[in-house]
Amino acid sequence: MAVTTDRRKLDAHALRADFPIFEQLIHGKPLAYLDSANSSQKPRQVLDAMTAFYETSYANVHRAVHVLGERATAGLEGAREKVRAFVNAPEEREIVFVRNATEALNLVAYAWGGSNLGPGDAVVVTELEHHSNFVPWQYIARRNGAEFLMLPLDDAYEVDLSGLDEIARDHTVKVVATNLVSNSLGTIADLAPLTRWAREQGAIFVCDAAQAAPHMRVDVQALDCDFLAISGHKMCGPSGIGALWGRGSILEAMEPFLLGGHMINSVRYEKTTWGELPHKFEAGTSPIAEAYGMGAAIDYLEAAGIDAIEAHEHELVAYALGRLGEIPGITLYGPPPERRAGVVSFNLADIHPHDVAQILDRSGVAIRAGHHCCQPLMHKLGVAATNRASFYLYTVPEEIDQLVDGLHTVRKVFA
Ligand code: C6P
């Protein structure tokens, strides 16, 4: 693997050689892939690990006594241990494999919220949430007759906590759900005051770490949360796999989410009993090779160095904000570079973000344009959509230069 030996400094130019996607031209131009917050690219190490797994070790898991069944089970459970270590969870059984962060958050909302929320209770989210940590809570709260409350953003793009005392006075708060890193603005939340407050309320604390885990060290014990959701595809792993960490005592007390094969202990006409953790929450055939690939992705990220990835993105964000700030008519959204991960959202004069993104595509630059599944935030910003460039460990400053050149072309087209 092509990385520097100094773990504090990452050599993105060398790392790019691990990613076959960069070997092609797009519209005759080098690819500037600035859409990693949407989904990251995959290194050869992950692709090769998955191919080798399929070629030598694939079978269904937990139910076959033959050699391949044993190998596949060992592969899946080995990946679970890697995820456990990656988020510093106390126990492997607390790691539940799911399809993605969305499914992880729905699992908590349905299986915990469905049984524990009722009239007089409140769920608190923030204005900065992705729909995946907003809509399930809004739905379950309202379905169960509970209140759904939203902490607003302040002018510095940080969550405003000044209303917490009032909420505590007027409501029985049962759930506090927030992201650690915003996908739209890149804001890195300071969760400590909110987790403390949630504890004082006796509420569970749900952390959406879909954008945090790929880019910075995430430690469920240091965060003092009760649930944490991540997606494999955003952290160099395959799509179709994510993980939910849940505090063991809470997971044990919960009803299952999906029902059927594998998640049972015994099934009789009169009664069905549930399996042990994590199987109670893993109904049906698991995403086996995908979990294995997520484990390989974790190995890859750890070898590159999570701290080095975070430092690299901070450098890129500072560079991008400086260069983009030179473009006439640009509006940049979000906090200063030291408060954000590798995400820059912007609008260019009154040019629709979809037009911007389409013209950039012709220069080989891939960004995302839209509401980024954050409509409450877009409403707050007073826009329907933004452009978003997002970075990762393989992003190099030349890609940001290509973006800036492309934006000058967009301006000329619309002049
Ligand atoms: N954000 C983006 O372009 P899934 O799709 O389930 O893997 O991840 C959902 C999700 C949850 N929380 C946050 C903070 C996210 O950013 C995302 C996915 C992508 O920003 C697709 S909308």
Side-chain angles (χ1 to χ4, degrees), residues 37-38 100-102 130 183 208 210-211 231 233-234 368 373 388:
N38 202 346
N100 48 39
T102 302
H130 186 279
N183 66 315
D208 172 4
Q211 292 293 348
S231 274
H233 71 94
K234 291 189 195 291
R368 185 167 174 198
C373 299
R388 184 191 66 182

Side-chain angles (χ1 to χ4, degrees), residues 135-151:
V135 180
W137 291 115
Q138 183 185 48
Y139 176 75
I140 291 290
R142 298 211 168 133
R143 204 180 71 169
N144 283 22
E147 295 271 349
F148 177 71
L149 305 174
M150 184 180 80
L151 300 174

Side-chain angles (χ1 to χ4, degrees), residues 18 26 55 61 67 179 197 208 226 238 247 275 296 307 338 341 359:
D18 291 336
I26 300 286
E55 287 178 354
V61 290
V67 169
N179 64 71
W197 182 76
D208 172 4
D226 295 301
R247 198 176 286 285
D307 294 343
E338 61 281 5
I359 296 172

